[in-house]
Amino acid sequence: MVTAPPEDLVRRLYEAPPDSFVAVRTEAVAAARKAGDRETARQIAALRKPTVAAWLVNLLALRRPELVEELVELAGMLREAQRNLRGEQLRELSNQRRQAVMALVDQARRLAVEAEPGLGRGSLPLGDVEATLSAALSDADIAEQVRTGRLIRTVSVSGFGEVPRPRLRLVVGGDEDTDEGVEDEDDEAEDEQPPPRTAKEDRLAAARERAAAERRAAARRAVERELRAAQQQAERADAAAEEAADAEHAAARTVAELDAALADLERRRAAAQAEASRAKLAHKAAVRDVATARRRLGEVQGALDELDG
């Protein structure tokens, strides 16, 4: 049976600032391997590091899910109003949408500062957060991704989802217009219709349509190739960024270990210096004691010699 990474670990990874993502993931992978769970270790290793903007959106989804749900509900109401062309309601909901998005952006900023007090407003990509939340309003699939709290990059869309087709009607004259007048207009329109096309013209038209369809298909294939190339490039860039981040964290750990070892050596050196100073003082005191004892010995020896003489 395939196991999934522990939910609390996944939440901790995507809730914490991105700078700590790689270190926490590496520790979790090592723990899973040590426990003999190689499948879980593989799945944890496959989790991707989010961008700062994606992390801000994840904070909203994980810590304030009720606000995200309210935004999604508002999006459904807005799409319904847009489909039905209710102008007044559409304007009101659009205003609510703007206010809701800006409020969520500000909430994301506050959550980020709580999680990482050193962050300032100018250093946060709030524009990308706003674009992603607006995209979630327009696209139900994006909204579902936002709900998960596991975004690795932000998204954006142009416009606002569905564009309703206007309902058209034939506008005729006022009360003085009669059915007869309308019929006359219809007759004139019929008289002005072009003559039917010949078989040759039909073949030419069909050929033009096929050529246009082939051009569109070729253009689509070219765009799809560019899309695949861009996706591959983005994946390679993500992998390179993660490798660089891993190398940076490894170097930082090495520096920290060396700093700790250096600090320990400094403490030992200071202790040795203190011990050497104490030994030096003790040696001087012992030399003075030896000199004093020798003088005393000479004095006693002299007194004994006088008594014997």
Side-chain angles (χ1 to χ4, degrees):
M1 181 179 64
V2 178
T3 59
E7 284 297 326
D8 58 338
L9 169 64
V10 176
R11 181 185 177 102
R12 183 156 56 94
L13 278 169
Y14 287 95
E15 195 174 31
D19 286 346
S20 64
F21 185 94
V22 174
V24 175
R25 184 185 61 188
T26 300
E27 181 181 349
V29 169
R33 286 175 177 168
K34 185 177 181 180
D37 193 347
R38 300 187 64 84
E39 176 61 23
T40 297
R42 185 188 64 79
Q43 292 186 5
I44 295 173
L47 296 173
R48 301 291 90 186
K49 176 182 175 181
T51 63
V52 174
W55 168 60
L56 293 172
V57 178
N58 291 339
L59 277 180
L60 283 172
L62 295 172
R63 295 190 178 180
R64 299 303 304 273
E66 73 283 359
L67 297 181
V68 175
E69 290 298 328
E70 290 176 6
L71 190 72
V72 174
E73 182 179 352
L74 177 61
M77 297 168 62
L78 186 56
R79 284 194 295 271
E80 179 66 24
Q82 193 174 23
R83 281 194 294 268
N84 295 327
L85 291 177
R86 291 196 291 268
E88 187 63 33
Q89 183 185 12
L90 185 60
R91 284 190 294 273
E92 176 62 25
L93 289 173
S94 296
N95 185 49
Q96 293 181 27
R97 168 182 171 270
R98 286 190 296 271
Q99 294 176 355
V101 169
M102 295 312 298
L104 278 176
V105 170
D106 185 65
Q107 185 64 42
R109 180 188 63 81
R110 294 174 183 270
L111 291 172
V113 173
E114 289 178 6
E116 191 80 357
L119 291 174
R121 184 184 183 91
S123 63
L124 296 175
L126 299 180
D128 291 341
V129 175
E130 180 181 354
T132 300
L133 294 174
S134 297
L137 281 168
S138 305
D139 190 302
D141 291 336
I142 296 176
E144 190 59 34
Q145 293 176 36
V146 169
R147 279 196 186 102
T148 65
R150 299 187 188 181
L151 289 184
I152 60 174
R153 61 175 60 88
T154 52
V155 295
S156 63
V157 296
S158 300
F160 187 82
E162 299 171 285
V163 178
R165 179 177 298 174
R167 292 189 293 269
L168 302 179
R169 61 176 181 174
L170 177 63
V171 180
V172 297
D175 294 336
E176 295 179 357
D177 290 334
T178 63
D179 293 340
E180 183 179 356
V182 174
E183 291 174 359
D184 290 341
E185 292 176 0
D186 292 339
D187 292 339
E188 291 175 2
E190 290 178 359
D191 292 339
E192 294 173 357
Q193 290 180 356
R197 295 185 302 187
T198 65
K200 180 178 180 180
E201 289 173 336
D202 286 338
R203 287 195 297 273
L204 288 174
R208 292 192 190 98
E209 290 178 0
R210 285 195 299 273
E214 290 174 358
R215 287 194 297 271
R216 288 194 298 270
R220 181 178 182 83
R221 288 193 295 272
V223 171
E224 288 175 346
R225 285 194 298 271
E226 292 181 6
L227 176 61
R228 287 193 295 271
Q231 288 174 336
Q232 292 171 357
Q233 184 177 4
E235 290 173 358
R236 288 193 296 269
D238 283 343
E242 289 209 11
E243 289 178 2
D246 292 342
E248 178 187 0
H249 284 287
R253 285 195 298 271
T254 300
V255 171
E257 291 170 358
L258 291 174
D259 285 342
L262 181 60
D264 182 60
L265 288 174
E266 289 290 346
R267 288 192 297 270
R268 292 168 61 185
R269 181 174 180 273
Q273 287 179 331
E275 183 63 27
S277 296
R278 288 193 295 271
K280 185 176 181 179
L281 292 175
H283 178 253
K284 288 182 178 180
V287 169
R288 288 195 300 269
D289 291 344
V290 168
T292 301
R294 289 185 181 279
R295 285 196 301 271
R296 180 58 180 163
L297 178 60
E299 293 172 355
V300 172
Q301 185 65 46
L304 183 60
D305 288 344
E306 289 179 0
L307 292 173
D308 290 342

